[in-house]
Amino acid sequence: SITIKGHVIRLIPVSTSHILAITAEMVQVLTASSPCRLETVGRALEDLLGAAQSQDRLTVGVYESAKLMNVDPDSVVLCVLAADEEDEGDIALQIHFTLLQAFCCDNDINILRVSGLRRLAQLLDDTGDGTEPRDLHCILVTNPPVQPLKCPALQDVGSFCQESRCRNQWVPCLELQDR
């Protein structure tokens, strides 16, 4: 270990010609997205979506979300973009995601990218009761100042998004686990 300008830098040999230099701050960044932390945020997201749905604070669907963000972007506090592996090849969906992400960044709206559409359907009780399933690829959580959303998980998810932005990860990713 060496100290430069008050920072302790640990030198780790990785081969005969390369050395990895790592600081304590880098270790904190690496551990901030540990599997345990991601699992905790995943549970908080599930709690938030459930609370938001019960308080009629969800907008579901790419088209419906774009329409709401155009009319009242200040009420939106979280944009959840959901896609599974098979959706990665859907060019139209990826273009929609890119446009939604840009809009969210311009309007300081937290964004989360999630996989696990089946789990989202379970959470939102969208299991296919004979009606056509909703488009769960984009879900907005709104929190109008007149009647704020009552859910402590909103702060947890918001903090995770903010921490991710501090690490230059503008669209953090989570995997929702089937239960």
Side-chain angles (χ1 to χ4, degrees):
S1 293
I2 60 172
T3 303
I4 300 175
K5 293 186 180 181
H7 295 281
V8 177
I9 299 174
R10 186 166 177 219
L11 303 175
I12 303 167
V14 289
S15 72
T16 56
S17 60
H18 292 86
I19 295 175
L20 174 66
I22 190 164
T23 65
E25 291 83 9
M26 290 176 175
V27 171
Q28 286 177 338
V29 166
L30 292 172
T31 58
S33 292
S34 68
C36 184
R37 171 79 168 129
L38 293 176
E39 187 177 317
T40 302
V41 174
R43 271 184 283 170
L45 177 62
E46 290 182 6
D47 292 346
L48 173 59
L49 292 175
Q53 184 174 31
S54 70
Q55 296 176 43
D56 198 28
R57 300 282 194 260
L58 285 185
T59 299
V60 179
V62 172
Y63 175 74
E64 293 82 357
S65 297
K67 201 163 63 172
L68 173 68
M69 285 197 288
N70 190 42
V71 173
D72 189 14
D74 294 334
S75 71
V76 179
V77 293
L78 179 66
C79 177
V80 178
L81 300 175
D84 287 332
E85 204 171 298
E86 59 269 11
D87 297 314
E88 296 302 320
D90 185 339
I91 302 300
L93 182 63
Q94 298 309 318
I95 290 170
H96 286 297
F97 280 4
T98 301
L99 294 171
L100 288 165
Q101 287 171 195
F103 188 88
C104 289
C105 287
D106 285 348
N107 289 279
D108 296 322
I109 297 170
N110 289 324
I111 313 166
L112 268 179
R113 188 94 184 239
V114 301
S115 59
L117 282 165
R118 189 169 51 214
R119 178 65 183 146
L120 272 177
Q122 290 172 343
L123 288 168
L124 302 177
D125 199 26
D126 196 56
T127 53
D129 56 359
T131 63
E132 190 170 320
R134 295 185 289 177
D135 172 16
L136 300 177
H137 289 104
C138 184
I139 300 170
L140 299 181
V141 177
T142 57
N143 193 18
V146 178
Q147 262 186 313
L149 180 65
K150 294 173 181 73
C151 179
L154 177 59
Q155 178 65 36
D156 296 338
V157 173
S159 294
F160 175 73
C161 291
Q162 185 176 357
E163 291 165 13
S164 297
R165 282 192 302 275
C166 288
R167 295 189 315 267
N168 288 324
Q169 184 183 8
W170 291 94
V171 183
C173 299
L174 287 176
E175 184 178 340
L176 297 178
Q177 302 295 323
D178 285 336
R179 294 197 180 142

